Amino acid sequence: MIDNELNTLIGKILRIDIRERDAPLYGRLIEVTPFWITIERKDGRHRIISKARITGIEPVRDQC
């Protein structure tokens, strides 16, 4: 996805599939930078994910 598409998802809860990880990550997208995205997990922790490792990303439920 290009940054403009990702920026439209800020504030949404996403399912993120990551290379080398069997289970997807879920979290609210809070920041998009040129090389990383930052999500907030359900417990409030922030996780920074390299865009190069993302194989799929989509909003959960009816948040499109």
Side-chain angles (χ1 to χ4, degrees), residues 44-59:
R45 291 180 297 146
H46 289 187
R47 173 127 186 209
I48 297 170
I49 304 166
S50 168
K51 288 181 181 177
R53 294 183 60 216
I54 297 173
T55 59
I57 189 166
E58 64 183 0

mmCIF file with all atom_site columns, all heavy atoms in Angstrom, residues 44-59:
data_model
loop_
_atom_site.group_PDB
_atom_site.id
_atom_site.type_symbol
_atom_site.label_atom_id
_atom_site.label_alt_id
_atom_site.label_comp_id
_atom_site.label_asym_id
_atom_site.label_entity_id
_atom_site.label_seq_id
_atom_site.pdbx_PDB_ins_code
_atom_site.Cartn_x
_atom_site.Cartn_y
_atom_site.Cartn_z
_atom_site.occupancy
_atom_site.B_iso_or_equiv
_atom_site.pdbx_formal_charge
_atom_site.auth_seq_id
_atom_site.auth_comp_id
_atom_site.auth_asym_id
_atom_site.auth_atom_id
_atom_site.pdbx_PDB_model_num
ATOM 1   N N   . GLY A 1 44 ? -2.608  -1.115  25.154 1.00 0.00 ? 44 GLY A N   1
ATOM 2   C CA  . GLY A 1 44 ? -2.065  0.241   25.196 1.00 0.00 ? 44 GLY A CA  1
ATOM 3   C C   . GLY A 1 44 ? -0.616  0.364   24.752 1.00 0.00 ? 44 GLY A C   1
ATOM 4   O O   . GLY A 1 44 ? -0.113  1.465   24.586 1.00 0.00 ? 44 GLY A O   1
ATOM 5   N N   . ARG A 1 45 ? 0.087   -0.768  24.588 1.00 0.00 ? 45 ARG A N   1
ATOM 6   C CA  . ARG A 1 45 ? 1.480   -0.712  24.143 1.00 0.00 ? 45 ARG A CA  1
ATOM 7   C C   . ARG A 1 45 ? 1.543   -0.334  22.665 1.00 0.00 ? 45 ARG A C   1
ATOM 8   O O   . ARG A 1 45 ? 0.660   -0.678  21.894 1.00 0.00 ? 45 ARG A O   1
ATOM 9   C CB  . ARG A 1 45 ? 2.171   -2.064  24.330 1.00 0.00 ? 45 ARG A CB  1
ATOM 10  C CG  . ARG A 1 45 ? 2.386   -2.436  25.771 1.00 0.00 ? 45 ARG A CG  1
ATOM 11  C CD  . ARG A 1 45 ? 3.067   -3.775  25.904 1.00 0.00 ? 45 ARG A CD  1
ATOM 12  N NE  . ARG A 1 45 ? 2.176   -4.802  25.321 1.00 0.00 ? 45 ARG A NE  1
ATOM 13  C CZ  . ARG A 1 45 ? 2.597   -5.884  24.683 1.00 0.00 ? 45 ARG A CZ  1
ATOM 14  N NH1 . ARG A 1 45 ? 3.878   -6.108  24.512 1.00 0.00 ? 45 ARG A NH1 1
ATOM 15  N NH2 . ARG A 1 45 ? 1.737   -6.757  24.195 1.00 0.00 ? 45 ARG A NH2 1
ATOM 16  N N   . HIS A 1 46 ? 2.591   0.357   22.282 1.00 0.00 ? 46 HIS A N   1
ATOM 17  C CA  . HIS A 1 46 ? 2.805   0.722   20.880 1.00 0.00 ? 46 HIS A CA  1
ATOM 18  C C   . HIS A 1 46 ? 3.791   -0.259  20.260 1.00 0.00 ? 46 HIS A C   1
ATOM 19  O O   . HIS A 1 46 ? 4.733   -0.696  20.917 1.00 0.00 ? 46 HIS A O   1
ATOM 20  C CB  . HIS A 1 46 ? 3.353   2.140   20.767 1.00 0.00 ? 46 HIS A CB  1
ATOM 21  C CG  . HIS A 1 46 ? 2.332   3.170   21.099 1.00 0.00 ? 46 HIS A CG  1
ATOM 22  N ND1 . HIS A 1 46 ? 2.556   4.503   20.933 1.00 0.00 ? 46 HIS A ND1 1
ATOM 23  C CD2 . HIS A 1 46 ? 1.069   3.068   21.592 1.00 0.00 ? 46 HIS A CD2 1
ATOM 24  C CE1 . HIS A 1 46 ? 1.488   5.184   21.301 1.00 0.00 ? 46 HIS A CE1 1
ATOM 25  N NE2 . HIS A 1 46 ? 0.583   4.329   21.714 1.00 0.00 ? 46 HIS A NE2 1
ATOM 26  N N   . ARG A 1 47 ? 3.561   -0.585  19.008 1.00 0.00 ? 47 ARG A N   1
ATOM 27  C CA  . ARG A 1 47 ? 4.463   -1.475  18.269 1.00 0.00 ? 47 ARG A CA  1
ATOM 28  C C   . ARG A 1 47 ? 4.795   -0.822  16.941 1.00 0.00 ? 47 ARG A C   1
ATOM 29  O O   . ARG A 1 47 ? 3.908   -0.387  16.215 1.00 0.00 ? 47 ARG A O   1
ATOM 30  C CB  . ARG A 1 47 ? 3.784   -2.818  18.046 1.00 0.00 ? 47 ARG A CB  1
ATOM 31  C CG  . ARG A 1 47 ? 4.582   -3.733  17.145 1.00 0.00 ? 47 ARG A CG  1
ATOM 32  C CD  . ARG A 1 47 ? 4.805   -5.047  17.765 1.00 0.00 ? 47 ARG A CD  1
ATOM 33  N NE  . ARG A 1 47 ? 5.694   -5.841  16.915 1.00 0.00 ? 47 ARG A NE  1
ATOM 34  C CZ  . ARG A 1 47 ? 5.657   -7.132  16.873 1.00 0.00 ? 47 ARG A CZ  1
ATOM 35  N NH1 . ARG A 1 47 ? 4.794   -7.790  17.598 1.00 0.00 ? 47 ARG A NH1 1
ATOM 36  N NH2 . ARG A 1 47 ? 6.504   -7.794  16.117 1.00 0.00 ? 47 ARG A NH2 1
ATOM 37  N N   . ILE A 1 48 ? 6.075   -0.746  16.627 1.00 0.00 ? 48 ILE A N   1
ATOM 38  C CA  . ILE A 1 48 ? 6.543   -0.195  15.363 1.00 0.00 ? 48 ILE A CA  1
ATOM 39  C C   . ILE A 1 48 ? 6.837   -1.378  14.441 1.00 0.00 ? 48 ILE A C   1
ATOM 40  O O   . ILE A 1 48 ? 7.541   -2.314  14.831 1.00 0.00 ? 48 ILE A O   1
ATOM 41  C CB  . ILE A 1 48 ? 7.802   0.667   15.565 1.00 0.00 ? 48 ILE A CB  1
ATOM 42  C CG1 . ILE A 1 48 ? 7.463   1.866   16.458 1.00 0.00 ? 48 ILE A CG1 1
ATOM 43  C CG2 . ILE A 1 48 ? 8.366   1.126   14.233 1.00 0.00 ? 48 ILE A CG2 1
ATOM 44  C CD1 . ILE A 1 48 ? 8.667   2.655   16.917 1.00 0.00 ? 48 ILE A CD1 1
ATOM 45  N N   . ILE A 1 49 ? 6.305   -1.316  13.217 1.00 0.00 ? 49 ILE A N   1
ATOM 46  C CA  . ILE A 1 49 ? 6.449   -2.414  12.269 1.00 0.00 ? 49 ILE A CA  1
ATOM 47  C C   . ILE A 1 49 ? 7.057   -1.881  10.976 1.00 0.00 ? 49 ILE A C   1
ATOM 48  O O   . ILE A 1 49 ? 6.570   -0.889  10.418 1.00 0.00 ? 49 ILE A O   1
ATOM 49  C CB  . ILE A 1 49 ? 5.078   -3.058  11.963 1.00 0.00 ? 49 ILE A CB  1
ATOM 50  C CG1 . ILE A 1 49 ? 4.411   -3.519  13.261 1.00 0.00 ? 49 ILE A CG1 1
ATOM 51  C CG2 . ILE A 1 49 ? 5.231   -4.205  10.974 1.00 0.00 ? 49 ILE A CG2 1
ATOM 52  C CD1 . ILE A 1 49 ? 2.945   -3.852  13.101 1.00 0.00 ? 49 ILE A CD1 1
ATOM 53  N N   . SER A 1 50 ? 8.082   -2.548  10.509 1.00 0.00 ? 50 SER A N   1
ATOM 54  C CA  . SER A 1 50 ? 8.718   -2.180  9.246  1.00 0.00 ? 50 SER A CA  1
ATOM 55  C C   . SER A 1 50 ? 7.771   -2.499  8.084  1.00 0.00 ? 50 SER A C   1
ATOM 56  O O   . SER A 1 50 ? 7.229   -3.602  8.004  1.00 0.00 ? 50 SER A O   1
ATOM 57  C CB  . SER A 1 50 ? 10.015  -2.967  9.077  1.00 0.00 ? 50 SER A CB  1
ATOM 58  O OG  . SER A 1 50 ? 10.502  -2.830  7.759  1.00 0.00 ? 50 SER A OG  1
ATOM 59  N N   . LYS A 1 51 ? 7.566   -1.543  7.198  1.00 0.00 ? 51 LYS A N   1
ATOM 60  C CA  . LYS A 1 51 ? 6.706   -1.770  6.033  1.00 0.00 ? 51 LYS A CA  1
ATOM 61  C C   . LYS A 1 51 ? 7.228   -2.905  5.164  1.00 0.00 ? 51 LYS A C   1
ATOM 62  O O   . LYS A 1 51 ? 6.452   -3.611  4.532  1.00 0.00 ? 51 LYS A O   1
ATOM 63  C CB  . LYS A 1 51 ? 6.586   -0.491  5.199  1.00 0.00 ? 51 LYS A CB  1
ATOM 64  C CG  . LYS A 1 51 ? 5.755   0.579   5.838  1.00 0.00 ? 51 LYS A CG  1
ATOM 65  C CD  . LYS A 1 51 ? 5.697   1.760   4.893  1.00 0.00 ? 51 LYS A CD  1
ATOM 66  C CE  . LYS A 1 51 ? 4.909   2.902   5.448  1.00 0.00 ? 51 LYS A CE  1
ATOM 67  N NZ  . LYS A 1 51 ? 4.932   4.046   4.549  1.00 0.00 ? 51 LYS A NZ  1
ATOM 68  N N   . ALA A 1 52 ? 8.546   -3.106  5.133  1.00 0.00 ? 52 ALA A N   1
ATOM 69  C CA  . ALA A 1 52 ? 9.140   -4.160  4.313  1.00 0.00 ? 52 ALA A CA  1
ATOM 70  C C   . ALA A 1 52 ? 8.726   -5.555  4.782  1.00 0.00 ? 52 ALA A C   1
ATOM 71  O O   . ALA A 1 52 ? 8.737   -6.501  3.998  1.00 0.00 ? 52 ALA A O   1
ATOM 72  C CB  . ALA A 1 52 ? 10.659  -4.032  4.325  1.00 0.00 ? 52 ALA A CB  1
ATOM 73  N N   . ARG A 1 53 ? 8.337   -5.704  6.044  1.00 0.00 ? 53 ARG A N   1
ATOM 74  C CA  . ARG A 1 53 ? 7.936   -7.008  6.592  1.00 0.00 ? 53 ARG A CA  1
ATOM 75  C C   . ARG A 1 53 ? 6.447   -7.286  6.431  1.00 0.00 ? 53 ARG A C   1
ATOM 76  O O   . ARG A 1 53 ? 6.006   -8.407  6.646  1.00 0.00 ? 53 ARG A O   1
ATOM 77  C CB  . ARG A 1 53 ? 8.315   -7.080  8.068  1.00 0.00 ? 53 ARG A CB  1
ATOM 78  C CG  . ARG A 1 53 ? 9.815   -7.061  8.282  1.00 0.00 ? 53 ARG A CG  1
ATOM 79  C CD  . ARG A 1 53 ? 10.186  -7.194  9.740  1.00 0.00 ? 53 ARG A CD  1
ATOM 80  N NE  . ARG A 1 53 ? 9.675   -8.438  10.278 1.00 0.00 ? 53 ARG A NE  1
ATOM 81  C CZ  . ARG A 1 53 ? 9.206   -8.576  11.528 1.00 0.00 ? 53 ARG A CZ  1
ATOM 82  N NH1 . ARG A 1 53 ? 9.200   -7.558  12.341 1.00 0.00 ? 53 ARG A NH1 1
ATOM 83  N NH2 . ARG A 1 53 ? 8.772   -9.742  11.938 1.00 0.00 ? 53 ARG A NH2 1
ATOM 84  N N   . ILE A 1 54 ? 5.665   -6.281  6.065  1.00 0.00 ? 54 ILE A N   1
ATOM 85  C CA  . ILE A 1 54 ? 4.206   -6.442  5.964  1.00 0.00 ? 54 ILE A CA  1
ATOM 86  C C   . ILE A 1 54 ? 3.853   -7.121  4.646  1.00 0.00 ? 54 ILE A C   1
ATOM 87  O O   . ILE A 1 54 ? 4.247   -6.680  3.579  1.00 0.00 ? 54 ILE A O   1
ATOM 88  C CB  . ILE A 1 54 ? 3.506   -5.081  6.073  1.00 0.00 ? 54 ILE A CB  1
ATOM 89  C CG1 . ILE A 1 54 ? 3.767   -4.464  7.450  1.00 0.00 ? 54 ILE A CG1 1
ATOM 90  C CG2 . ILE A 1 54 ? 2.005   -5.226  5.815  1.00 0.00 ? 54 ILE A CG2 1
ATOM 91  C CD1 . ILE A 1 54 ? 3.268   -3.045  7.601  1.00 0.00 ? 54 ILE A CD1 1
ATOM 92  N N   . THR A 1 55 ? 3.083   -8.215  4.753  1.00 0.00 ? 55 THR A N   1
ATOM 93  C CA  . THR A 1 55 ? 2.627   -8.916  3.550  1.00 0.00 ? 55 THR A CA  1
ATOM 94  C C   . THR A 1 55 ? 1.158   -8.641  3.263  1.00 0.00 ? 55 THR A C   1
ATOM 95  O O   . THR A 1 55 ? 0.692   -8.858  2.155  1.00 0.00 ? 55 THR A O   1
ATOM 96  C CB  . THR A 1 55 ? 2.848   -10.434 3.671  1.00 0.00 ? 55 THR A CB  1
ATOM 97  O OG1 . THR A 1 55 ? 2.142   -10.927 4.810  1.00 0.00 ? 55 THR A OG1 1
ATOM 98  C CG2 . THR A 1 55 ? 4.334   -10.756 3.777  1.00 0.00 ? 55 THR A CG2 1
ATOM 99  N N   . GLY A 1 56 ? 0.426   -8.179  4.256  1.00 0.00 ? 56 GLY A N   1
ATOM 100 C CA  . GLY A 1 56 ? -0.984  -7.847  4.065  1.00 0.00 ? 56 GLY A CA  1
ATOM 101 C C   . GLY A 1 56 ? -1.480  -6.976  5.191  1.00 0.00 ? 56 GLY A C   1
ATOM 102 O O   . GLY A 1 56 ? -1.009  -7.079  6.331  1.00 0.00 ? 56 GLY A O   1
ATOM 103 N N   . ILE A 1 57 ? -2.414  -6.085  4.861  1.00 0.00 ? 57 ILE A N   1
ATOM 104 C CA  . ILE A 1 57 ? -2.966  -5.190  5.875  1.00 0.00 ? 57 ILE A CA  1
ATOM 105 C C   . ILE A 1 57 ? -4.389  -4.850  5.477  1.00 0.00 ? 57 ILE A C   1
ATOM 106 O O   . ILE A 1 57 ? -4.669  -4.568  4.315  1.00 0.00 ? 57 ILE A O   1
ATOM 107 C CB  . ILE A 1 57 ? -2.082  -3.922  6.031  1.00 0.00 ? 57 ILE A CB  1
ATOM 108 C CG1 . ILE A 1 57 ? -2.512  -3.098  7.226  1.00 0.00 ? 57 ILE A CG1 1
ATOM 109 C CG2 . ILE A 1 57 ? -2.040  -3.103  4.775  1.00 0.00 ? 57 ILE A CG2 1
ATOM 110 C CD1 . ILE A 1 57 ? -1.495  -2.046  7.629  1.00 0.00 ? 57 ILE A CD1 1
ATOM 111 N N   . GLU A 1 58 ? -5.313  -4.945  6.459  1.00 0.00 ? 58 GLU A N   1
ATOM 112 C CA  . GLU A 1 58 ? -6.708  -4.620  6.168  1.00 0.00 ? 58 GLU A CA  1
ATOM 113 C C   . GLU A 1 58 ? -7.432  -4.236  7.453  1.00 0.00 ? 58 GLU A C   1
ATOM 114 O O   . GLU A 1 58 ? -7.087  -4.712  8.526  1.00 0.00 ? 58 GLU A O   1
ATOM 115 C CB  . GLU A 1 58 ? -7.412  -5.796  5.493  1.00 0.00 ? 58 GLU A CB  1
ATOM 116 C CG  . GLU A 1 58 ? -7.523  -7.029  6.350  1.00 0.00 ? 58 GLU A CG  1
ATOM 117 C CD  . GLU A 1 58 ? -8.152  -8.205  5.633  1.00 0.00 ? 58 GLU A CD  1
ATOM 118 O OE1 . GLU A 1 58 ? -8.500  -8.068  4.457  1.00 0.00 ? 58 GLU A OE1 1
ATOM 119 O OE2 . GLU A 1 58 ? -8.287  -9.259  6.260  1.00 0.00 ? 58 GLU A OE2 1
ATOM 120 N N   . PRO A 1 59 ? -8.431  -3.367  7.330  1.00 0.00 ? 59 PRO A N   1
ATOM 121 C CA  . PRO A 1 59 ? -9.223  -3.004  8.511  1.00 0.00 ? 59 PRO A CA  1
ATOM 122 C C   . PRO A 1 59 ? -10.068 -4.193  8.958  1.00 0.00 ? 59 PRO A C   1
ATOM 123 O O   . PRO A 1 59 ? -10.498 -4.994  8.120  1.00 0.00 ? 59 PRO A O   1
ATOM 124 C CB  . PRO A 1 59 ? -10.124 -1.865  8.030  1.00 0.00 ? 59 PRO A CB  1
ATOM 125 C CG  . PRO A 1 59 ? -9.695  -1.527  6.658  1.00 0.00 ? 59 PRO A CG  1
ATOM 126 C CD  . PRO A 1 59 ? -8.824  -2.618  6.155  1.00 0.00 ? 59 PRO A CD  1
#
